[in-house]
Amino acid sequence: MKKLQTAIEAITRRSKKFPQEEFEIICANRAEAIPCLRSAVEKAIAEGEDLDEDYQLHFYAMFLLAQFQDRDFFPRMMELACLPEDTVDFLMGDAMTESLPTILYNMYNGDIRLLMDAVRSPDVGDYVRSGLLRVMGQLYLDGTLGKQDWQDFLRQIVYGEEIGDYVYTALADVICRCHFVEMLPEIYRLYEDDRIEGRAIGGYDECVDEVFTYWDSRENFCKSPVQAVQMLRGWAMFDDPEAEKRSRELEKNFSQALRKLDQEFNRTEPKRKIGRNDPCPCGSGKKYKQCCLNKPKSPLDLVETPQEKARWLKEYPEARQGGDGDRIYLEDCFSRESIEIDKLLYLALKHRAIPIWRREEESVVHNRRRVYLSAAYERFRTLLEEEGIESFQAYDRKHSIHYHCQDWLEVLEELLEEEDPEGILEDVRGFFGKMGK
């Protein structure tokens, strides 16, 4: 017991030395340590920003109690999280955004109302509320929180009273990572109302990618168990003899990444000569000489090679591979023609991560966009006529994926005002009048 008391005393005040030995003693005497650790957090809650700046035990205590999964103390941890944001920042520092969701998840006691009420409360800071949404997202992925209850709650936030933009951004991210395809209209509404910080999660098209893409490393929010030693050892508050070595390694890795990126954009695909009697690359099954050999190339073939198209479609949601369980894919929700039109729009409008030293001329970008959008427009018109669709809204409900039709048609109209080689500008303008502009 004396060793435990000494260890706790040693971590009560700030120190530049990482207290690994003290942590190990506390973990070895978990039952006896918990009351002391709880008292430290209680002290922080009571004193708030009046807490001595040199006092540190409460900070370590939060991680250790989460490691011990002290569920009985969850309401008090929620009380700390719901203090004014400046107070939480004073007590936790960067851990407010980096670690609080994981701490709360590991202490969660089953009272979902505590989380819901805190997310709704205007008195709770945006960063904390955003973290609580991630905790709830993890509970849904665990099967602890039902899908309908979770979606109903998310919709209440979208359609309820205005709250902080940072919360809406986190909400959109949670919807995407829960793969709620049926809630894409809610995400689109948030973008239309300018309530999402695009610099944090990108545009609406990137949200669509996220909804339909499954990454093993992204299929959880905060499920990792807390190991206080591993989580805290690298924090800047401690002396780190390995810091300079890691910095050199990061610099080396960054340089390698830049070289790889440059090589990717320098690389030219070898051109394979197609013999007259070879199968036609268009996939018709005919010989090349009987099919595409003498056909004039379409604008789509001239604007980019098949290899370049494939490069920029790498992030496009992949097709179903079979045996994927409950995963949802584009073809589960949209027709083949909808997807083909959407790919043309994606090639035209999706942000391309091109190295800054290889920026394209504006005229090249405009020409590429116009060619792809014009091709999409022709297929779009055919689909409208075949199905008798008479409004943008009706088309969007059934066919739009990454881009709503009025949005991309406006871009096409602007491009055609600069250059209209196919002579379709007036036809496009006519559609706006016909379909409700």
Side-chain angles (χ1 to χ4, degrees):
M1 192 68 178
K2 187 174 181 180
K3 285 180 69 175
L4 174 62
Q5 184 177 349
T6 303
I8 288 177
E9 289 174 356
I11 66 170
T12 298
R13 319 298 293 181
R14 292 184 185 275
S15 171
K16 295 295 288 182
K17 178 180 177 293
F18 181 68
Q20 178 157 340
E21 183 179 344
E22 288 80 1
F23 276 20
E24 290 172 354
I25 292 171
I26 292 169
C27 291
N29 296 273
R30 167 178 167 171
E32 295 83 0
I34 284 177
C36 296
L37 300 174
R38 288 178 175 178
S39 294
V41 177
E42 298 274 8
K43 176 181 174 67
I45 294 171
E47 298 185 21
E49 293 180 67
D50 294 327
L51 188 71
D52 183 351
E53 289 189 11
D54 199 38
Y55 187 79
Q56 191 71 8
L57 182 57
H58 72 288
F59 182 79
Y60 298 136
M62 289 184 280
F63 287 88
L64 288 164
L65 290 171
Q67 179 173 330
F68 301 155
Q69 297 192 334
D70 185 6
R71 303 191 189 285
D72 291 338
F73 200 64
F74 178 71
R76 294 296 279 158
M77 274 303 304
M78 283 296 299
E79 190 173 335
L80 184 148
C82 293
L83 292 171
E85 187 163 88
D86 287 346
T87 304
V88 182
D89 185 37
F90 174 81
L91 296 174
M92 297 191 70
D94 289 344
M96 177 176 68
T97 53
E98 293 183 18
S99 306
L100 184 59
T102 302
I103 289 171
L104 292 172
Y105 172 77
N106 278 275
M107 297 176 73
Y108 177 65
N109 70 348
D111 190 351
I112 196 67
R113 285 290 156 194
L114 284 177
L115 295 170
M116 289 182 168
D117 291 346
V119 172
R120 293 191 190 101
S121 173
D123 298 325
V124 178
D126 284 1
Y127 289 109
V128 171
R129 284 193 283 181
S130 300
L132 298 180
L133 283 171
R134 295 185 177 96
V135 174
M136 295 174 70
Q138 187 61 59
L139 295 174
Y140 162 73
L141 294 178
D142 292 346
T144 302
L145 178 58
K147 181 176 183 179
Q148 192 60 56
D149 290 340
W150 181 213
Q151 289 191 347
D152 288 347
F153 178 76
L154 292 170
R155 288 191 172 97
Q156 288 171 18
I157 302 300
V158 173
Y159 299 112
E161 294 184 7
E162 289 278 335
I163 56 177
D165 288 352
Y166 194 84
V167 182
Y168 291 124
T169 302
L171 182 143
D173 181 60
V174 166
I175 291 172
C176 292
R177 291 171 61 184
C178 288
H179 305 289
F180 288 158
V181 177
E182 57 271 59
M183 291 193 70
L184 282 172
E186 277 73 23
I187 295 180
Y188 187 75
R189 176 180 175 134
L190 292 177
Y191 275 100
E192 285 289 281
D193 293 345
D194 200 25
R195 287 188 280 172
I196 287 181
E197 178 51 73
R199 288 176 295 181
I201 62 172
Y204 175 76
D205 53 354
E206 288 168 287
C207 287
V208 176
D209 285 341
E210 187 81 16
V211 167
F212 286 101
T213 302
Y214 294 83
W215 304 92
D216 290 340
S217 61
R218 293 271 290 166
E219 296 306 304
N220 72 78
F221 293 95
C222 50
K223 192 168 185 175
S224 58
V226 171
Q227 296 294 332
V229 169
Q230 283 80 0
M231 291 181 73
L232 292 171
R233 179 184 281 117
W235 280 59
M237 67 177 78
F238 303 115
D239 289 329
D240 184 3
E242 298 291 316
E244 187 176 344
K245 178 182 176 182
R246 279 202 301 273
S247 178
R248 289 196 301 269
E249 189 66 27
L250 284 171
E251 186 176 341
K252 177 183 174 183
N253 291 341
F254 181 68
S255 298
Q256 290 174 343
L258 284 180
R259 283 198 299 273
K260 184 176 180 181
L261 186 61
D262 200 34
Q263 289 167 1
E264 175 72 17
F265 286 91
N266 267 331
R267 188 176 64 199
T268 56
E269 300 289 342
K271 293 184 177 180
R272 182 176 69 87
K273 185 175 180 179
I274 305 170
R276 291 170 53 81
N277 293 310
D278 288 343
C280 187
C282 78
S284 66
K286 299 178 181 178
K287 291 182 178 181
Y288 183 46
K289 66 182 181 182
Q290 296 170 336
C291 191
C292 294
L293 174 60
N294 297 314
K295 284 183 182 178
K297 286 193 173 183
S298 72
L300 285 176
D301 294 326
L302 294 172
V303 74
E304 285 187 311
T305 67
Q307 292 81 8
E308 287 171 323
K309 292 184 181 73
R311 172 192 292 172
W312 298 116
L313 287 172
K314 274 184 180 178
E315 294 182 9
Y316 194 82
E318 65 179 13
R320 179 178 292 278
Q321 302 298 315
D324 292 325
D326 295 330
R327 293 185 175 187
I328 300 173
Y329 291 83
L330 281 180
E331 59 264 44
D332 298 324
C333 307
F334 300 97
S335 69
R336 182 180 183 84
E337 183 62 11
S338 300
I339 294 171
E340 291 306 313
I341 292 172
D342 187 61
K343 283 183 178 179
L344 292 169
L345 301 175
Y346 196 88
L347 287 165
L349 300 173
K350 183 71 162 64
H351 172 70
R352 297 188 174 193
I354 296 173
I356 193 167
W357 58 89
R358 295 190 173 278
R359 287 297 177 202
E360 297 177 293
E361 293 289 336
E362 187 177 85
S363 59
V364 173
V365 176
H366 283 195
N367 180 63
R368 181 176 65 236
R369 285 182 173 171
R370 180 182 51 75
V371 169
Y372 281 130
L373 291 176
S374 297
Y377 176 69
E378 291 303 317
R379 300 182 77 150
F380 164 76
R381 283 189 79 241
T382 300
L383 196 56
L384 291 178
E385 294 167 2
E386 289 176 350
E387 299 190 6
I389 296 173
E390 297 182 349
S391 70
F392 290 133
Q393 293 78 9
Y395 181 90
D396 288 334
R397 280 195 298 270
K398 186 174 181 181
H399 296 292
S400 289
I401 304 176
H402 285 85
Y403 309 96
H404 284 54
C405 57
Q406 185 166 345
D407 297 337
W408 65 262
L409 282 168
E410 286 176 351
V411 175
L412 175 59
E413 184 179 14
E414 290 177 7
L415 292 170
L416 292 173
E417 286 169 353
E418 297 176 9
E419 186 178 1
D420 183 20
E422 292 91 2
I424 61 172
L425 175 58
E426 292 308 314
D427 194 62
V428 171
R429 285 174 172 165
F431 260 90
F432 277 110
K434 177 183 176 182
M435 297 186 71
K437 184 177 179 181

